Structures are given as structure tokens and as C-alpha cells.
């Protein structure tokens, strides 16, 4: 939600720039006259605001929407794939439990989800719908916010009522004071009226339907950790009391580990449960999937730059294992990219004619300028800057180059990953994300050399496996690349035995040449010594070849994106905007606002140093700066005197003015208390305590 | 109906003498451990005499209104709620009306409250009024309270209680347990064979549990395995010694896993089918690795340090160049209790953040993400808020994680926790 609001805000921002643009365009028509007529009232739509005559803005919006839907579909697919195993296991477990009734034990499942709190609600709602589809219509999701018995019973009542909304034979439950007796009554009424037609079910096959009464009642607790123990224990006790009437299956969402579930329940209660644990895949596995399928997707004309990628990664690994937040941040990047980079639209309109305005924009890009500078022929250089048609064709080829690069790069990155995986203590790191990060940052060369040094630990088989794996990956790549040298080395490795025999024969032939010759002791020793340093074995030779082949391969294929002309159109690397939007620093923002108000307020003059205090600053800012000079205890009277002296050197303006200043001071002091910078103290009556550290 | 309840002759006789068609006792209090046959005896006696009664599981009802309405609907034998009944006053009135019905003339209605200790959390007037219900409603009604805790713990307030007749259900003796268990002999099994098995089960598990329900569960779970050698013909059914030898290792693992219910019954069956998987399964259930974000780990460690170190020692551990510390006169109290034994102390958010910043590597900006992690740790129950909600300017926390857990967390970030703990230095 917050992101959407932010999006709206940003669009407004672009709106402003759009209006200023319109102003420039339409000054001529304004001078001719002003007409007023009443039109029909129209509901404004977002497109009204962002469209202009060349359709650029609407294109931008379309582009943004296209990227977002792409990202969304990919993430949905990943979600579905990741949860699939868990869901099938759980569904079969619940089905078995529903059939196998026992009056002693309540069947329960615990889903151990790991720490990423905001992501869970999606998972549980998906699970709910899956269970409704395949097992039983009586699935009740108890959200984390219902954490008292009363609220739990309320949500049970309302959800059960909604299942059989249209059926008059089924007893309705009271919304506010629902008790277990109501639920049993409801269940009894189901048995007496049970007929398959009554069930509001999504499955269409009649054969699948069983009578409603035989369905188990599945209660899904979204956040087990938030429930108070007493409430949970009461709930389990009452479930057990009613096991004779109906079959109940409990599903708990446990965040950390199963032991937390056991430690919270008394032994008596936990003996009533027969729990089976289901482990969810950890969120880092999720992240790997996202990087593999979303960021390394060759079809997506959007990439994260090195810095932005690192920020998102850091936020994920260091702060919260939240996939959802990661995706939101991605979406923000896409949005900011589309807004700040108007000509990025041209990426998808590759075949279409570029407008002159687009060309101007592109000519201003640093990477394009660099490309022009690198152009050896001065004639071509000037053509690139002036001849529109030539530039257009050149841009198209450049775009095609980038496209090829994008299609190739994921595969090459994966090759690097297979390499780094097999080498112990690889300079890249074991994870795909680390490899991708160093590729994006352009420091892969040093790491690659480090890795080649460690290559000597690899055995022949391992080397062979490596090369086959790399060749296999590259064979999937849609764009052809030069792997012939790699293939050669691999051939040599596979025919190693034959080669070894040959070389042994050779060396044997060399050695035999010594026998029979007549020579003295000295020459013999010398010839033998000359032969000795030749102990580079055949394998080492081939390994050296392999290293050379790999080096040249990676040097050719792994190019840092910043070296590509027009990379700005595809890569988002605006770390400053992203940081300010994603990593909110409330305390720091407050301090900047108070110590350097000109950052936020335009009518305040910029100060030479942040320490200086003038009367032009806002009152609170003055009070804040003065309080920074004090020790932990602030004498209010002294503080006020300092405040007054800032505003006027002497009290010549009369008592009225002084009174005004006093009230302004008390107002700003109250504001500071509200902001949590000072606190009243009981130790000294006319003092306040400072809650901030240090000085400016 | 047979009123015979095994090993509870005395209590049954006592109940029978009190619970009669018309009685004069206003309230009875029955207490005893779980699974000691309280409810069974009371129900048997009531059913046998076909007396009108209402069973109330107190854990199910979270307000008094629900209890009253439940009782009234049950006594009226209708499905319709008997009108609004919000408090004790109207309950007494409605009960009086209900019991005027000819069905209840010259018959005492019995209200049986299971887990009566839950009644204590209701308003203070409920329990005293229930004990005097007969007097207040001026009708034939008797309240039976059933609980696991003795009556003394019910008297929170000194006045208004009318002492009920108390009846204690003592725990079953070993012989009782064997007798009851062997009476539950499954069909197509020899009785002596099963009795022998029960002897074995009770002897093995008696030191850990005397709960009949648990023992029943354990007996059920292991019986199949016990029969196995007999069914295959390897051992004669009378050769108790060989049977014991065969089942012994199985029961030993059962002590660790089954009793704690670490495995569900179906998992246990699976394990029995494939013997070797036994250890593996318990392992995967117990060792659930805990994954926390990087800074959360540091926050947790900082919280632990703040909780278990005295604030005075912070200077010693966290100030990098603190100059010369004043040499303490070494009059260390030899029997100074360790903080590990006393338990965690509360600390302020400021102190937590200060320790966090001194132990964490690299520069960390105080983003909102960082602060939300603290509340996230609270929801994971690794921290607990101590201060009330009104104190939002300086919230106080306590660390709930164990030393073992913290050690494993700090190992993942390569932080030497023991070097920073006051108790270990």
C-alpha cells in the first residue's frame, strides 16, 4: 500500500514536470486569447494526467505496467513452485487425518515457516483455498490479530456462517457470543440435512463430493506465537471435548521451531495433540530462485545495477528475510527507472522509429558519449552527433548488442557459479547471488584470477565435470558463443589415457637414447639434470590449457555492463533515491530537519556551518541547536535566555515583543518534548533532561 | 447400567451416598490428578440414577453469559436460548423459573463444572454464588465442582464462600494401574499374555508417569511390536524373558520420544516399520535450525548481554579504550550468585542499542528496519516487553533466550559471547 501511495506521489512529481513542459509549449497560444466554455464533467483517469501529444507518457506508463506484470507473474510462479511440495504433503496429511478419527488425540500439523513475518499471510490464504478445493469446505483461517478466545470464536462463527450462507437448514451461529455448543449444534444440523448439493464448493465433479458431515473441521492458526498460552490451552481442551462429535484438524503456523510449540504448552495439553511438522523452504532458497528466475531472466528488459542490487540484498539478509519486501523494492526500482528514464521506453519500442526528442536524450547519455569518443573516425563521430538517420541505425545495432548480451549473461553467470561452487574458498563465494553481485560490480577479474590459483586442487575428474557442466549450460544459451577451446580441452581430458600412453612412449624413447652412448660421469649427470626439470606432467599441461581456455572464455563473455553503450536504458543504479525511499531513517531525518532546516524549507537561508544559530531559523530549530550545547540537564530559564538573545540583542522592542518571544519559546520547547528530544525530570524542578547524544 | 468403576469403590460409594434423587447438599468439590476417574465416577453415578444433570467444561466458556445460557438451554431441553442472561442475578431468577417445571419436582438438578479452576478468572461473585445456588434460587439444585487443585487454592477472597463437601481422588497405585490396563485387553488376545505385557509397561514407565491416559497410549503404541516375535513364531508366548529382551530397546527409545509426544502416533508407526529411521526422525524433529537475519542475531546477542550483565560492567566490556579502570579491591563475594541462576533482568531500549552498536561490525544506519526487528524478536518470543504500553518513550525489554541458544546464534556470526559475559569473566 505504502508503495502504491509512493507511486502516486512520484507520478505527481512527474506531473509537475509535465505541466512545466506544457507551459513552455503553449505560450504562443495563450497570447492569442482566453476562451472559457463549460464542458461535460469528466472523471479523471490516470491516463489523462500522463498523456501528451507525442504519447510518450502513456508509453512510459504502458512500459511500467508491462514490467510490473512480468515481475508479478514470475514471482507468482516462484511462490507456487516453492509451496507446492509443502501443500501436497499437508493436503494429504489433512485428508488422512480427516478419515482417521480418534477421540484421544487431536491431529495437528505444524508448519515451520521461518522468519519473514509479512510474507506469511499470502501463504496461508493460498493454503486455505487449496484445502477448500481438495479436502474439506470447512476450513477456518484464524488470523494473527485474533488473539483472544472471544475473537477466535467470532472468526470461526463468521467463517462457518459464510460457508453455508444460502442454506436455511443449517443453523446460523451468533456472531458475538459463539460457544462450542453452537458449533456442535451447527455440525448436527449439517448431518441431519447433509446432502451434497448444499455444499458451496468449488469442485465441480460430483463424484468427488462426500457428505458434508464427514468433512473434518480444519482450523488454521496463522500465528501461533501471538496467541496467549492460556487461550490456546483452553482452545485445545475444548477441541478435545468435542472430538467425539466431529473430527477436528489443527494447523499451526510456527515461526521458529517446533520446540517453541512444545515449550509453551503444558505436558497435559501437548499429550492431547499428535503433531506432525512440515518444514517450509527457507527464505534464502526463495531468494536464490528469485535471482535465478527474475534477475537473470533474459527476456526482461530491466536490470538492477550493482549498488542497487547490493542494497536490496543487504536489506534482505541483514534485516528481514522478507521476500515480499524484496519484490516491493524491485517494483519501486522499476517505477523509478521508468520515471527518471523517459527514453527507456525506446527499449521495448526497438523496431519503431525513434523520435528526435528521444535521440537528443540518448545523445546526452554518458555511455553514448563515451561510445562517440571511442569512435576512431572523426567523420563518423560527427555523423553520430548530427545525422539522425545514421544515429538511429547505430542505436538499433547497439540495442541489439545489449539484447544479445542480456541473453548470454545469465548463462555465463551460471557458468561462473558452477566454477565457484566446486572450488573450496572461492573468491566469489558459494552462492549465485554473490557471483552475480561481483559480475554486476565489475570486479570479477580479480576474483577469477584468485580462483584459477586454487584450480590446482581439482582432480582430473572434477575438472572434466566442470567443463562438461559449463558446456552444458552454454549449449542451452540461445546465443552462440565461442566454446571451441573449452571443447578441445575437454576432448583432451576424456582421451587422457591415450595421450598419457603416447607421451610415456615419447619420454621412454627419449630415455633410451641415453643408453648405449658412451659418456663420462660428468656429462651423464648433466644430461640427467637437464631432463629432470621436465616434470610438468601431462595432466598439469592440460590443466594449464584449461585455465587459459576458461580465462579467455570468461574475459570475452563477462563484460561489465557499464562498458556497454546505452546501458542506462536497461540498468537501474540510482542508489541514492532507492536508499532514501527504502531505508527510512526517522531519527536522522529529524536531526537534519532541525539542524539544517534549509534542506526541507526553501525560505530558510543556507547556513555556513551547522552550528551557527540565527534568528532566521524556525523557532524549534533554534531551540534544538541551543539545547545541543547543554549538558544532560537543561535549566529552562538559561535556555530561554539564550533563545531570547538569539532573537534580539537587547530588549528594546518593548515588553509586548518579549512576551511574544517567551511564548514562542515555550511553544518550541513543547514541540521538542513531543518529538522526544527532551523530557521533564523530577530531580530538579526547573530543569529538563536531554534525550539526545553528543553535540552537532 | 453397571456402576462399577475399577479401583474407585470408595469414592463411588461416597458419591452415591451424596448424589441422590433429593439431596440436601448445596455443593460438592471433587479434586484429584488428571485421569484419576473423577468425571467417570460422577457421570456413572448420575446416569445410573437417571438424575437430570448438565455437564459444563469450563475451559470452553469465556464469559459467564455463555455458561448460564448453556445451563438454561440444557435444562429446558430446547435448542432456543432461554432469553438474555447476562449476569448471576438473572441467572438465579431464570433458573428458579426453569426448575419450577414439573420435570424437576422432587428431583435435584445437578450442575457439574469440569475444570472448575477456570471459574476463578470470572468475576469474583460467580464462584461464591454458585456455591450457594440452592439457597439463592430456592430450588433443588446441586453444584458439583471438579478440579485438579485442592479447595484451598480457590479461596482467594475470604468472604462469601460456603464450604462445599470435598472429596479427594487419590492417584492410582501401581497395582491399580496394572489392573485397569489389563482389563482393556484387546479382542483376540490372550488375557494372561496381555496382563504380562501391562506389568512390563507399568514397570518401565512408572518412574516417569502415573497418568493412566499416558500409559494407555504407550501400551497401545508398543503392543504390536511386542506381539511380533510371537506372531512370527520366533518366541513362545509364555517366554516372558525373551519377549522382554526383544522389546527392551524399543521401550527405551519410547521413553525419550513417545512420552514427550515428539512424534505423532502415525510417525511412530512408520518408525517401527523401518527400525533404522528411528534416530533420524527424532533428529529432524528436534534440530530445527533457527534462521535469523544478520542484524537480528546481533540484536538478540546484545539483548542477552544487556539482560545478563549488570549495567555497571558495560564500561568494562564495550568501551574500547576506557583508560585505566580503577583497580577493584578484590573482595569478591565467594558465594555471589550467578546471573544465569537469577534469570534475565530488564533493560532499556537505549542500552540495547548502545551495546548493539558496540558489538556489530561495520556501520549500521538506524533505519526503521532495525527497530522493527526488535518488535519482530518480541513476537518470536525471544524478547519480552516489560514496560507497559504507556511508556513508549523508553520501552524496557527482557531477553528470554537461553544461553545455549545464544551460543549457537553467536557461533554463526563468529562472536565470542562468553568473553562478554560478566559471569564468565
Amino acid at each position: 500500500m505504502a508503495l502504491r501511495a509512493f507511486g502516486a506521489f512520484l507520478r505527481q512529481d512527474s506531473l509537475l514536470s509535465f505541466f512545466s513542459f506544457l507551459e513552455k509549449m503553449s505560450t504562443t497560444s495563450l497570447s492569442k486569447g482566453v476562451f472559457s466554455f463549460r464542458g461535460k464533467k469528466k472523471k479523471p483517469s490516470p491516463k489523462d494526467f500522463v498523456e501528451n501529444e507525442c504519447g510518450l507518457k502513456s508509453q512510459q506508463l504502458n512500459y511500467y505496467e508491462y514490467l510490473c506484470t512480468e515481475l508479478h507473474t514470475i514471482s507468482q510462479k516462484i511462490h507456487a513452485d516453492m509451496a507446492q511440495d509443502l501443500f501436497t504433503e499437508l493436503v494429504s496429511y489433512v485428508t488422512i487425518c480427516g478419515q482417521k478419527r480418534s477421540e484421544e488425540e487431536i491431529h495437528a500439523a505444524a508448519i515451520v515457516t521461518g522468519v519473514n513475518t509479512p510474507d506469511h499471510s499470502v501463504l496461508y490464504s493460498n493454503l486455505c483455498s487449496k484445502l477448500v478445493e481438495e479436502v474439506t469446505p470447512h476450513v477456518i483461517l484464524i488470523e494473527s490479530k485474533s488473539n483472544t478466545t472471544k475473537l477466535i470464536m467470532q472468526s470461526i462463527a463468521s467463517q462457518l456462517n459464510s460457508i453455508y450462507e444460502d442454506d436455511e437448514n443449517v443453523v446460523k451461529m451468533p456472531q458475538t457470543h459463539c460457544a462450542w455448543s453452537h458449533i456442535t449444534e451447527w455440525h448436527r444440523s449439517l448431518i441431519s440435512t447433509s446432502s451434497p448439493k448444499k455444499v458451496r464448493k468449488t469442485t465441480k465433479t460430483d463424484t468427488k463430493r462426500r457428505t458434508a458431515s464427514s468433512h473434518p473441521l480444519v482450523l488454521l492458526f496463522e500465528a501461533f506465537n501471538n496467541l496467549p498460552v492460556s487461550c490456546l490451552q483452553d482452545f485445545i481442551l475444548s477441541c478435545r471435548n468435542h472430538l467425539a462429535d466431529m473430527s477436528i484438524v489443527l494447523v499451526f503456523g510456527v515461526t521458529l521451531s517446533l520446540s517453541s510449540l512444545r515449550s509453551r504448552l503444558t505436558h497435559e495439553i501437548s499429550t492431547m495433540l499428535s503433531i506432525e511438522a512440515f518444514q517450509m523452504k527457507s527464505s534464502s532458497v526463495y531468494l536464490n530462485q528469485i535471482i535465478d528466475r527474475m534477475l537473470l531472466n533474459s527476456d526482461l528488459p530491466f536490470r538492477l545495477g550493482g549498488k542497487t542490487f547490493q542494497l536490496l540484498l543487504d536489506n534482505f539478509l541483514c534485516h528481514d528475510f522478507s521476500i515480499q519486501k524484496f519484490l516491493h523494492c524491485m517494483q519501486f526500482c522499476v517505477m523509478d527507472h521508468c520515471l527518471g528514464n523517459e527514453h527507456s521506453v525506446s527499449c521495448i519500442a526497438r523496431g519503431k522509429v525513434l523520435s528526435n526528442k528521444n535521440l537528443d536524450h540518448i545523445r546526452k547519455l554518458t555511455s553514448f558519449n563515451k561510445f562517440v569518443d571511442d569512435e576512431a573516425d572523426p567523420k563518423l563521430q560527427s555523423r553520430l552527433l548530427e545525422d539522425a538517420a545514421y544515429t538511429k541505425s547505430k542505436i538499433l545495432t547497439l540495442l541489439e548488442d545489449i539484447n544479445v548480451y542480456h541473453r548470454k549473461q545469465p548463462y555465463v553467470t551460471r557458468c561462473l557459479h558452477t566454477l565457484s561452487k566446486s572450488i573450496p574458498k572461492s573468491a566469489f563465494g558459494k552462492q549465485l547471488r554473490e557471483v552475480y553481485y561481483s559480475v554486476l560490480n565489475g570486479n570479477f577479474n580479480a576474483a577469477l584470477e584468485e580462483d584459477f590459483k586454487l584450480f590446482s586442487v581439482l582432480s582430473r575428474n572434477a575438472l572434466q565435470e566442470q567443463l562438461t557442466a559449463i558446456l552444458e549450460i552454454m549449449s542451452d544459451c540461445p546465443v552462440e558463443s565461442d566454446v571451441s577451446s573449452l571443447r578441445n580441452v575437454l576432448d583432451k581430458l576424456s582421451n587422457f589415457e591415450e595421450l598419457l600412453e603416447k607421451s610415456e612412449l615419447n619420454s621412454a624413447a627419449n630415455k633410451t637414447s641415453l643408453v648405449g652412448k658412451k659418456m663420462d660421469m660428468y656429462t651423464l649427470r648433466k644430461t640427467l639434470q637437464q631432463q629432470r626439470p621436465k616434470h610438468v606432467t601431462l595432466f598439469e599441461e592440460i590443466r594449464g590449457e584449461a585455465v587459459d581456455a576458461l580465462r579467455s572464455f570468461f574475459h570475452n563473455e563477462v563484460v561489465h555492463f557499464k562498458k556497454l553503450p546505452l546501458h542506462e536504458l536497461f540498468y537501474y543504479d540510482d542508489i541514492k533515491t532507492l536508499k532514501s525511499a527504502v531505508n527510512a531513517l526517522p531519527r536522522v531525518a529529524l536531526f537534519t530537519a532541525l539542524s539544517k532546516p534549509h534542506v526541507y524549507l526553501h525560505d530558510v537561508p543556507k547556513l555556513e556551518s551547522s552550528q551557527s544559530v540565527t534568528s532566521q531559523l524556525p523557532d524549534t530549530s533554534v531551540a534544538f541547536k541551543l539545547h545541543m550545547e547543554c549538558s544532560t540537564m537543561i535549566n529552562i530559564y538559561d535556555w530561554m535566555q539564550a533563545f531570547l538573545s538569539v532573537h534580539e540583542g537587547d530588549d528594546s522592542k518593548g515588553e509586548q515583543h518579549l512576551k511574544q518571544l517567551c511564548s514562542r519559546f515555550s511553544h518550541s520547547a513543547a514541540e521538542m518534548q513531543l518529538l522526544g528530544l527532551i523530557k521533564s525530570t523530577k530531580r530538579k524542578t526547573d530543569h529538563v533532561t536531554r534525550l539526545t547524544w553528543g553535540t552537532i | 447400567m453397571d456402576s462399577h468403576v475399577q479401583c474407585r469403590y470408595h469414592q463411588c460409594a461416597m458419591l452415591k451416598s451424596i448424589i441422590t434423587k433429593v439431596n440436601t447438599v448445596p455443593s460438592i468439590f471433587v479434586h484429584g490428578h488428571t485421569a484419576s476417574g473423577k468425571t467417570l465416577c460422577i457421570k456413572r453415578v448420575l446416569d445410573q440414577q437417571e438424575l437430570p444433570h448438565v455437564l459444563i467444561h469450563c475451559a470452553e466458556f469465556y464469559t459467564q453469559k455463555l455458561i448460564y445460557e448453556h445451563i438454561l438451554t440444557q435444562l429446558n431441553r430446547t435448542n432456543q436460548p432461554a432469553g438474555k442472561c447476562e449476569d448471576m442475578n438473572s441467572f438465579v431468577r431464570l433458573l428458579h423459573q426453569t426448575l419450577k417445571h414439573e420435570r424437576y419436582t422432587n428431583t435435584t438438578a445437578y450442575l457439574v463444572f469440569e475444570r472448575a479452576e477456570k471459574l476463578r478468572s470470572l468475576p469474583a461473585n460467580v464462584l461464591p454464588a454458585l456455591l450457594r445456588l440452592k439457597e439463592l434460587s430456592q430450588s433443588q439444585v446441586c453444584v458439583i465442582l471438579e478440579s485438579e487443585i485442592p479447595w484451598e487454592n480457590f479461596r482467594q477472597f475470604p468472604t462469601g464462600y460456603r464450604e462445599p463437601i470435598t472429596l479427594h481422588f487419590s492417584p492410582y497405585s501401581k497395582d491399580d494401574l496394572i489392573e485397569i490396563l489389563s482389563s482393556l485387553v484387546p479382542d483376540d488376545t490372550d488375557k494372561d499374555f496381555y496382563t504380562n505385557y501391562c506389568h512390563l509397561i507399568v514397570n518401565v514407565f512408572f518412574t516417569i508417569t502415573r497418568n493412566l491416559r499416558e500409559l494407555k497410549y504407550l501400551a497401545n503404541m508398543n503392543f504390536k511390536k511386542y506381539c511380533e516375535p510371537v506372531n512370527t513364531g520366533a518366541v513362545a508366548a509364555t517366554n516372558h524373558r525373551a519377549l522382554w529382551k526383544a522389546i527392551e530397546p524399543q521401550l527405551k527409545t519410547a521413553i525419550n520420544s513417545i512420552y514427550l509426544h515428539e512424534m505423532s502416533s502415525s510417525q511412530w508407526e512408520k518408525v517401527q516399520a523401518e527400525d533404522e529411521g528411528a534416530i533420524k526422525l527424532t533428529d529432524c524433529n528436534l534440530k530445527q535450525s533457527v534462521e535469523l537475519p544478520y542484524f537480528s542475531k546481533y540484536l538478540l546477542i546484545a539483548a542477552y548481554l544487556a539482560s545478563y550483565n549488570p549495567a555497571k560492567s558495560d564500561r568494562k566490556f564495550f568501551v574500547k579504550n576506557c583508560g585505566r579502570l580503577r583497580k577493584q579491591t578484590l573482595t569478591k563475594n565467594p558465594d555471589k550468585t550467578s546471573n544465569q541462576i537469577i534469570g534475565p533482568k530488564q533493560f532499556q531500549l537505549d542500552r540495547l542499542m548502545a551495546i548493539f552498536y558496540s558489538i556489530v561490525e561495520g556501520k549500521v544506519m538506524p533505519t526503521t528496519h532495525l527497530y522493527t526487528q526488535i518488535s519482530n524478536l518480541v513476537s518470536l518470543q525471544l524478547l519480552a516487553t516489560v514496560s507497559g504500553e504507556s511508556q513508549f518513550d523508553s520501552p524496557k525489554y527482557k531477553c528470554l533466550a537461553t544461553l545455549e541458544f545464544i551460543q549457537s546464534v553467536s557461533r554463526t556470526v563468529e562472536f565470542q559471547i562468553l568473553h562478554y559475559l560478566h559471569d564468565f569473566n
Side-chain angles (χ1 to χ4, degrees), chain A residues 227-455:
Chain A
L227 281 177
V229 185
S230 63
C231 160
L232 190 73
Q233 293 195 346
D234 285 355
F235 192 82
I236 292 171
L237 267 176
S238 11
C239 278
R240 192 178 169 276
N241 288 335
H242 294 282
L243 271 184
D245 304 325
M246 55 189 145
S247 70
I248 298 170
V249 181
L250 301 177
V251 181
F252 298 112
V254 185
T255 332
L256 270 186
S257 68
L258 203 56
S259 59
S260 74
L261 197 145
R262 295 190 197 293
S263 62
R264 290 188 72 198
L265 300 174
T266 58
H267 181 247
E268 193 202 345
I269 303 288
S270 64
T271 54
M272 291 174 186
L273 294 172
S274 130
I275 304 176
E276 223 163 279
F278 296 88
Q279 180 85 43
M280 251 211 28
K281 277 182 186 133
S282 73
S283 43
S284 55
V285 179
Y286 246 102
L287 181 75
N288 289 347
Q289 282 287 318
I290 282 186
I291 289 171
D292 197 29
R293 286 160 69 172
M294 192 182 280
L295 299 181
L296 287 175
N297 188 336
S298 35
D299 302 329
L300 216 60
F302 172 78
R303 293 289 152 120
L304 285 178
K307 283 178 206 150
T308 42
F309 178 63
Q310 194 194 9
L311 181 72
L312 293 195
L313 212 58
D314 277 356
N315 267 353
F316 179 86
L317 293 174
C318 295
H319 284 120
D320 43 30
F321 285 148
S322 169
I323 295 294
Q324 201 134 340
K325 243 184 212 169
F326 190 89
L327 292 176
H328 276 306
C329 291
M330 274 288 285
Q331 204 178 353
F332 176 83
C333 293
V334 169
M335 190 171 66
D336 200 34
H337 179 69
C338 291
L339 271 177
N341 227 342
E342 284 180 17
H343 31 271
S344 64
V345 191
S346 55
C347 311
I348 47 164
R350 230 166 286 150
K352 289 179 192 166
V353 192
L354 293 160
S355 71
N356 287 337
K357 207 176 152 208
N358 276 339
L359 274 185
D360 287 345
H361 274 299
I362 286 171
R363 281 194 182 125
K364 274 176 204 157
L365 291 178
T366 37
S367 64
F368 189 76
N369 282 335
K370 215 180 152 216
F371 175 71
V372 173
D373 290 343
D374 289 347
E375 185 63 62
D377 190 356
K379 262 188 200 166
L380 284 179
Q381 237 177 30
S382 59
R383 271 184 85 190
L384 269 178
L385 292 174
E386 281 151 19
D387 187 353
Y390 176 73
T391 319
K392 264 181 209 171
S393 67
K394 199 75 201 168
I395 285 171
L396 286 182
T397 52
L398 285 177
L399 286 175
E400 193 47 44
D401 282 351
I402 286 198
N403 192 21
V404 168
Y405 171 75
H406 275 173
R407 273 197 267 164
K408 212 188 262 184
Q409 186 217 21
Y411 295 94
V412 181
T413 313
R414 274 173 213 140
C415 287
L416 266 180
H417 182 218
T418 48
L419 198 71
S420 71
K421 250 196 305 190
S422 63
I423 297 173
K425 286 184 184 169
S426 161
F428 285 111
K430 294 269 173 231
Q431 303 281 352
L432 180 64
R433 52 168 185 262
E434 289 162 317
V435 176
Y436 185 53
Y437 171 65
S438 44
V439 168
L440 277 182
N441 254 354
N443 57 359
F444 52 88
N445 270 341
L448 202 61
E449 287 308 316
E450 285 279 302
D451 271 13
F452 284 141
K453 273 182 205 160
L454 297 167
F455 233 64

Side-chain angles (χ1 to χ4, degrees), chain B residues 318-386:
Chain B
F318 304 114
V319 178
K320 277 199 180 116
N321 188 9
C322 55
R324 251 177 351 127
L325 278 177
R326 199 155 40 85
K327 258 207 177 158
Q328 287 172 344
T329 40
L330 285 166
T331 49
K332 226 180 184 181
N333 236 350
D335 51 16
K336 208 180 91 188
T337 23
S338 150
N339 282 317
Q340 302 295 325
I341 297 167
I342 297 168
K345 293 198 184 74
Q346 60 183 40
F347 55 86
Q348 286 199 339
L349 177 66
D350 295 345
R351 193 170 157 231
L352 171 70
M353 292 319 286
I355 295 178
F356 170 74
Y357 276 110
S358 75
I359 61 172
V360 79
E361 286 159 21
K363 200 183 163 201
V364 185
M365 294 302 276
T367 55
T368 39
H369 296 301
L370 203 63
Y371 289 101
T372 47
Q373 278 311 303
I374 297 174
S375 56
N376 201 4
L377 286 174
V378 172
S379 77
L380 291 174
Q381 279 160 356
L382 294 168
L383 298 188
T385 36
V386 184

Side-chain angles (χ1 to χ4, degrees), chain B residues 97-374:
Chain B
Q97 277 175 19
T98 312
L99 294 182
K100 264 188 198 161
H101 193 277
E102 57 182 21
R103 203 189 300 142
Y104 298 108
T105 43
N106 288 330
T107 318
T108 311
Y110 288 89
L111 308 179
V112 185
F113 289 86
E114 269 186 68
R115 293 193 179 262
E117 64 267 17
K118 298 274 177 200
L119 290 175
R120 295 181 301 171
S121 57
L122 294 177
N125 69 330
V126 174
L127 200 54
L130 280 179
L131 290 171
R132 290 171 179 271
L133 200 59
K134 184 176 185 173
E135 204 178 303
L136 292 170
S137 65
Q138 294 172 334
S139 39
Q140 283 292 321
V141 65
C142 174
V143 171
I144 303 177
L145 300 178
E146 213 182 276
S147 174
E148 284 170 27
I149 56 176
W151 175 243
E152 282 70 32
N153 293 358
F154 278 75
R155 276 190 233 122
Q156 291 153 322
F157 305 102
T159 52
Y161 286 91
R162 193 200 161 99
E163 295 294 310
I165 295 178
T166 49
L167 181 61
H168 179 58
F169 275 64
S170 53
Y172 291 116
S173 69
K174 202 169 179 177
D175 295 334
D176 291 345
L177 287 172
I178 293 170
E179 190 187 329
I180 297 167
L181 277 182
S182 42
S183 71
L184 297 167
V185 55
D187 307 332
D188 65 84
T189 312
D190 182 38
K191 195 158 191 296
D192 284 345
F193 179 71
Y194 195 76
T195 314
N196 211 335
Y197 172 66
C198 293
H199 264 284
L200 203 148
I201 287 285
V202 172
N203 278 325
V204 170
F205 293 107
F206 193 66
T207 45
I208 11 171
T209 182
R210 296 172 188 206
N211 188 333
L212 181 63
R213 201 183 295 146
E214 280 296 290
L215 287 170
K216 232 191 304 188
Y217 176 74
L218 288 165
N220 276 338
M221 297 296 358
N222 293 307
F223 188 57
K224 223 175 169 183
K225 190 84 179 171
Y226 185 72
C227 292
E228 217 169 65
V230 180
N231 289 344
T232 53
V235 179
T238 46
N239 190 351
H240 304 315
R241 201 177 166 73
L243 281 172
W244 159 243
K245 277 273 177 255
I247 193 87
E248 195 187 358
Q250 160 103 6
L251 291 184
K252 285 222 165 115
T253 43
I255 285 179
N256 292 327
S257 55
I258 268 285
Y259 168 65
L260 293 172
H261 282 252
E262 251 152 29
M263 270 184 245
S264 65
S265 45
S266 54
Q267 272 174 321
W268 180 245
E269 276 162 21
K270 261 186 239 161
V271 171
Q272 278 185 327
E274 34 176 321
D275 265 331
E276 288 152 19
I279 303 141
K280 247 191 220 166
L281 244 173
T282 39
D283 268 8
C284 80
N285 263 3
L286 277 176
K287 278 187 196 164
Q288 237 93 43
S289 62
V290 175
E291 269 194 68
L292 284 173
Y294 187 69
F295 289 145
S296 289
K297 284 178 186 171
Y298 271 109
L299 276 174
L300 190 62
I301 293 170
Y304 188 83
L305 291 175
S307 245
Y308 284 93
N309 277 354
K312 273 181 195 171
S313 69
D314 281 355
R315 220 176 124 75
K316 177 177 150 198
F317 291 119
F318 304 114
V319 178
K320 277 199 180 116
N321 188 9
C322 55
R324 251 177 351 127
L325 278 177
R326 199 155 40 85
K327 258 207 177 158
Q328 287 172 344
T329 40
L330 285 166
T331 49
K332 226 180 184 181
N333 236 350
D335 51 16
K336 208 180 91 188
T337 23
S338 150
N339 282 317
Q340 302 295 325
I341 297 167
I342 297 168
K345 293 198 184 74
Q346 60 183 40
F347 55 86
Q348 286 199 339
L349 177 66
D350 295 345
R351 193 170 157 231
L352 171 70
M353 292 319 286
I355 295 178
F356 170 74
Y357 276 110
S358 75
I359 61 172
V360 79
E361 286 159 21
K363 200 183 163 201
V364 185
M365 294 302 276
T367 55
T368 39
H369 296 301
L370 203 63
Y371 289 101
T372 47
Q373 278 311 303
I374 297 174

Side-chain angles (χ1 to χ4, degrees), chain A residues 156-169:
Chain A
I156 291 177
S158 64
Q159 288 183 49
L160 284 182
N161 279 344
S162 68
I163 295 172
Y164 297 99
E165 222 162 7
D166 327 317
D167 199 334
E168 285 145 20
N169 293 332

Side-chain angles (χ1 to χ4, degrees), chain A residues 507-545:
Chain A
S507 60
N510 280 344
K511 268 178 192 163
T512 47
S513 62
L514 273 180
V515 183
K517 273 182 188 170
K518 215 175 182 183
M519 57 178 84
D520 59 5
M521 198 66 179
Y522 177 74
T523 27
L524 178 69
R525 196 187 289 159
K526 220 164 188 195
T527 31
L528 282 175
Q529 262 175 0
Q530 270 169 2
Q531 273 179 4
R532 198 176 291 161
K534 224 184 178 184
H535 61 206
V536 178
T537 60
L538 179 69
F539 174 58
E540 275 162 2
E541 211 173 283
I542 295 179
R543 189 161 59 199
E545 273 176 45

